[in-house]
Amino acid sequence: MKKLLVLLYITSIIILTGCGDQALFDFLAESNIKVRIKGTYASNNPRDWDFSGIVADDDQDNYAAGADYPTKFMIDIAELKLNGDKFAHYREAYQASVLDTDDFFNGTGFVFENDNVFPDDKYTKIHVFLRKMIFNKSLSYSVDNDVWSDPKTTEVVFNEKDVNGYDFNQRQTFTYYDEIDDDKNKNIVFPLKIPLAEDFIYDVDREFVLEVRLVIKNFIKKYEWVDSDVGYTYFGLSDWLRDIRIADKYRGGNLFAVARVYVKGETVSVSGTDAVGGSYVVAIPYTEDGAIDSISNYEITQPTTSRPSGDYDTDEASWDAYEAEAEASYDKKLPPIATWTDDNTYTLTNVPTGKNYSLYYTNSVAAGEMPSSFTHIKNIAIDVNGNITTL
Amino acid sequence: MNKFIKFIILFLIILFAVSDSFARRRKRGDYFLRPQIGVWYGPVTPVGPTKKEVNTNLGGGGYFRYNTPWEPLKLGFDISYQHHESDGINELFIIPTYANLIYRLPIQMPLNFQIKAGAGVAQVRIKPSNLSQRDPMFMTGFEVSFPAGKLLNIGLRIDYLMIYEEHNEGAKRNGHVVNGGITVFFNL
């Protein structure tokens, strides 16, 4: 008996020394990466909604007249993946009001649930699996011999409920060029592939913010489409880059996006008064080897030729040239840090420390357009303590 | 990990050194009161808050039991291994090692019913963060078995394990798993 007690005593001492002090089950349940999804070009203080900029597409027969703007935007995201790792396999269906105060449109973003990722792996891209993107105030018509009649509010299923609206994401799964070139095997929204502005290496001891921005605010147009004898008017993304015509079934390739990661607590705000009103002010980080990243990597321009009028068989060379220019522009980078300025003053927030940046302001941009030319303001260096010096 | 292996070896040496003294105490004819060694295999399920993070899998382990001077009570030592995956990239590995007291219920049937309670330490590792540590753990369980001859017993067991982390600063949750399965053990 005594031998038994001694044995138990020794065993428990051996067992109970050396227990850890971390909270592993908390680590499994929570994450020190916060994912924010924003619907703006700017990372902070985006431009206010310019509803007069929501125009009807130039190819429209204008069946829906009047200043009718959407009031609700809904987005259904199946999951997010970083370099193929299923770190955020939690479906999110988010409804935003089309107002400057909504988190999705005011520079805050909504939080997407996620897990941690592998430390010491270098993550370079994020895949966003977009199921639906819906604006309300869409109508359907009966179309008979080109006569549109009987307008009705369209309904679509969102988050397992019927809502008023039109899911324009189904129209942007492929580009029109992919459809006519019979290359409809690359779905460009499921997933939407966004390269990270800089490589991301996760660290268990630091808190990160992963910011994903889809350019939706002030980039909307009103479209028409006919599906045999049913006509639709709906709001979708601007065709500033790839021109859309009324008969196009697929209208993709106009969804611009950018993603960046920064460490919480290792950022500063950069302010200035040397911009020009009515433009975006952007901060371009220097590249990994310390060189200034060329601004031409960010100059997204419209194709120099207008969209060919013929079909692919008769006009193959023109179509190839048009698509090549559009694709080159689409593959360019968006500035990871940007803000809007109405006058010459600006403040860029959450700018990571320990890096150098080139600051630019863009050309004057109307709603429905992307900034395409940049004017250099200055270069700055931010040390690890957050001190900013002009270079 | 090295420290842990050394501990296991030390533990097994002590175990076999003392097993003989308890073997002598059995009642004549009751083979169940012999020292017993067994294995188990079956579903290991996260429950409670742990259920949200990882999924059920199959796991298994082994154990050794011998008598205490208080006859219906036996003292057991268990070790097992379980690996839980998830729908994402989360993974959980647990190696529980514990001692427990096992009480055979005084029900006169060909079946043996046992309830158990115990404590020990669990080696826990999580992915993708690749963090691992030892945590104290507590368990309780139930087992039903029947003898198949003098030597062999076959049974079903179900255990609830609580891996205690809330004593750590800032920790908000513990780990909870239910291990079940078929067990086969031998009267030595």
Side-chain angles (χ1 to χ4, degrees):
Chain A
M1 184 56 217
K2 210 174 169 188
K3 246 169 54 173
L4 175 66
L5 282 174
V6 167
L7 170 64
L8 268 175
Y9 207 57
I10 296 169
T11 313
S12 30
I13 290 171
I14 294 170
I15 289 171
L16 292 170
T17 53
C19 279
D21 59 0
Q22 296 177 93
L24 295 193
F25 287 96
D26 281 354
F27 237 98
L28 208 57
E30 297 166 352
S31 171
N32 55 348
I33 304 171
K34 187 157 243 175
V35 178
R36 289 192 172 274
I37 316 274
K38 304 181 183 179
T40 54
Y41 180 91
S43 46
N44 68 280
N45 295 86
R47 182 181 185 175
D48 282 349
W49 275 107
D50 175 11
F51 291 111
S52 68
I54 303 179
V55 298
D57 188 37
D58 46 14
D59 200 38
Q60 207 161 266
D61 292 332
N62 296 316
Y63 276 96
D68 204 9
Y69 309 125
T71 55
K72 285 199 174 59
F73 173 73
M74 289 157 266
I75 184 165
D76 187 341
I77 300 175
E79 61 173 325
L80 308 175
K81 286 186 190 178
L82 272 170
N83 280 28
D85 286 344
K86 291 179 70 158
F87 86 111
H89 62 285
Y90 308 100
R91 181 178 162 214
E92 177 76 38
Y94 182 81
Q95 178 169 282
S97 302
V98 178
L99 294 170
D100 293 316
T101 48
D102 193 287
D103 279 352
F104 189 64
F105 294 121
N106 70 1
T108 307
F110 70 86
V111 174
F112 197 99
E113 192 184 341
N114 63 285
D115 297 327
N116 288 317
V117 293
F118 292 95
D120 308 326
D121 267 10
K122 193 156 71 158
Y123 291 100
T124 55
K125 54 187 190 289
I126 183 166
H127 288 184
V128 181
F129 287 78
L130 292 165
R131 295 180 81 239
K132 295 187 179 182
M133 289 169 80
I134 299 164
F135 276 115
N136 66 343
K137 301 292 182 80
S138 47
L139 296 168
S140 67
Y141 293 79
S142 295
V143 179
D144 185 22
N145 280 336
D146 271 348
V147 175
W148 289 45
S149 62
D150 191 26
K152 289 197 183 76
T153 308
T154 61
E155 272 194 352
V156 68
V157 175
F158 175 72
N159 205 16
E160 280 70 65
K161 295 190 194 74
D162 287 329
V163 296
N164 291 335
Y166 186 82
D167 172 25
F168 64 88
N169 194 48
Q170 58 179 303
R171 296 270 75 79
Q172 55 183 24
T173 47
F174 309 102
T175 64
Y176 180 67
Y177 179 83
D178 285 340
E179 186 186 3
I180 60 177
D181 187 32
D182 271 335
D183 194 15
K184 287 211 304 298
N185 58 352
K186 35 184 173 87
N187 187 321
I188 53 175
V189 295
F190 200 90
L192 178 70
K193 296 175 187 170
I194 311 171
L196 294 179
E198 284 176 321
D199 293 344
F200 168 42
I201 298 176
Y202 172 66
D203 174 355
V204 298
D205 294 321
R206 297 197 291 174
E207 304 232 345
F208 295 89
V209 177
L210 166 53
E211 176 184 282
V212 177
R213 307 201 309 269
L214 308 170
V215 180
I216 296 166
K217 190 178 191 185
N218 286 318
F219 202 66
I220 304 172
K221 242 185 181 178
K222 189 169 193 177
Y223 294 100
E224 280 180 359
W225 182 54
V226 179
D227 179 13
S228 58
D229 56 356
V230 183
Y232 297 92
T233 60
Y234 70 92
F235 293 94
L237 297 180
S238 169
D239 64 346
W240 176 87
L241 182 67
R242 286 179 167 95
D243 190 17
I244 289 168
R245 299 278 161 82
I246 191 169
D248 293 354
K249 183 174 179 195
Y250 289 107
R251 299 145 170 230
N254 288 321
L255 175 52
F256 292 95
V258 64
R260 70 175 182 126
V261 180
Y262 59 87
V263 179
K264 200 171 161 193
E266 291 180 21
T267 62
V268 287
S269 294
V270 174
S271 299
T273 55
D274 40 7
V276 155
S279 67
Y280 287 99
V281 175
V282 306
I284 314 286
Y286 281 24
T287 56
E288 268 175 24
D289 54 6
I292 298 180
D293 198 1
S294 172
I295 196 59
S296 61
N297 293 332
Y298 297 84
E299 282 164 341
I300 298 170
T301 50
Q302 291 178 297
T304 50
T305 57
S306 48
R307 172 179 150 152
S309 46
D311 61 26
Y312 191 67
D313 296 326
T314 52
D315 241 339
E316 189 174 323
S318 308
W319 269 108
D320 286 346
Y322 177 78
E323 176 60 21
E325 278 195 279
E327 193 165 328
S329 255
Y330 192 67
D331 287 345
K332 293 219 169 168
K333 302 191 250 193
L334 262 68
I337 307 167
T339 189
W340 175 259
T341 175
D342 283 316
D343 48 34
N344 62 345
T345 65
Y346 59 89
T347 301
L348 295 157
T349 61
N350 292 319
V351 183
T353 55
K355 289 189 195 338
N356 296 349
Y357 299 89
S358 291
L359 267 58
Y360 292 82
Y361 64 86
T362 66
N363 57 309
S364 166
V365 177
E369 292 179 355
M370 286 289 281
S372 49
S373 73
F374 297 79
T375 306
H376 188 240
I377 302 175
K378 60 191 170 194
N379 293 343
I380 57 171
I382 308 179
D383 68 18
V384 291
N385 298 318
N387 301 313
I388 305 169
T389 46
T390 305
L391 295 172
Chain B
M1 202 58 204
N2 234 349
K3 217 176 152 191
F4 185 70
I5 292 169
K6 281 185 195 157
F7 155 65
I8 292 291
I9 293 168
L10 169 70
F11 172 81
L12 285 171
I13 290 168
I14 297 172
L15 200 79
F16 286 111
V18 300
S19 63
D20 205 40
S21 60
F22 296 105
R24 270 186 249 122
R25 291 176 193 248
R26 70 178 182 275
K27 237 196 208 148
R28 243 185 65 181
D30 188 350
Y31 295 101
F32 202 80
L33 294 175
R34 287 177 170 167
Q36 293 167 323
I37 186 164
V39 292
W40 68 270
Y41 186 72
V44 293
T45 313
V47 293
T50 316
K51 190 180 167 56
K52 289 187 219 135
E53 313 311 327
V54 289
N55 299 334
T56 300
N57 205 342
L58 293 170
Y63 53 91
F64 189 89
R65 291 173 184 166
Y66 48 74
N67 298 314
T68 64
W70 308 281
E71 221 171 63
L73 275 180
K74 286 180 108 115
L75 180 66
F77 293 89
D78 278 56
I79 183 167
S80 58
Y81 175 81
Q82 53 203 90
H83 168 210
H84 300 271
E85 293 177 315
S86 70
D87 296 336
I89 50 176
N90 280 347
E91 286 180 59
L92 174 64
F93 301 80
I94 311 176
I95 302 177
T97 52
Y98 56 89
N100 56 0
L101 282 171
I102 304 143
Y103 177 68
R104 179 162 67 154
L105 296 174
I107 299 168
Q108 301 302 323
M109 277 182 75
L111 295 174
N112 290 309
F113 299 90
Q114 292 173 289
I115 54 173
K116 6 173 196 166
V121 71
Q123 178 74 30
V124 180
R125 184 163 143 244
I126 58 169
K127 272 186 168 177
S129 318
N130 266 338
L131 298 170
S132 82
Q133 68 181 25
R134 270 184 277 169
D135 288 323
M137 59 158 284
F138 304 96
M139 65 80 59
T140 182
F142 177 75
E143 194 173 300
V144 57
S145 60
F146 66 90
K150 282 190 223 170
L151 198 61
L152 183 68
N153 298 279
I154 300 170
L156 291 171
R157 56 184 269 160
I158 184 158
D159 295 327
Y160 163 69
L161 275 64
M162 197 262 273
I163 296 149
Y164 186 50
E165 268 189 357
E166 271 178 9
H167 66 285
N168 289 329
E169 198 183 314
K172 286 179 253 165
R173 44 177 79 74
N174 299 317
H176 307 265
V177 287
V178 168
N179 295 351
I182 295 177
T183 179
V184 164
F185 55 103
F186 301 90
N187 307 323
L188 294 178

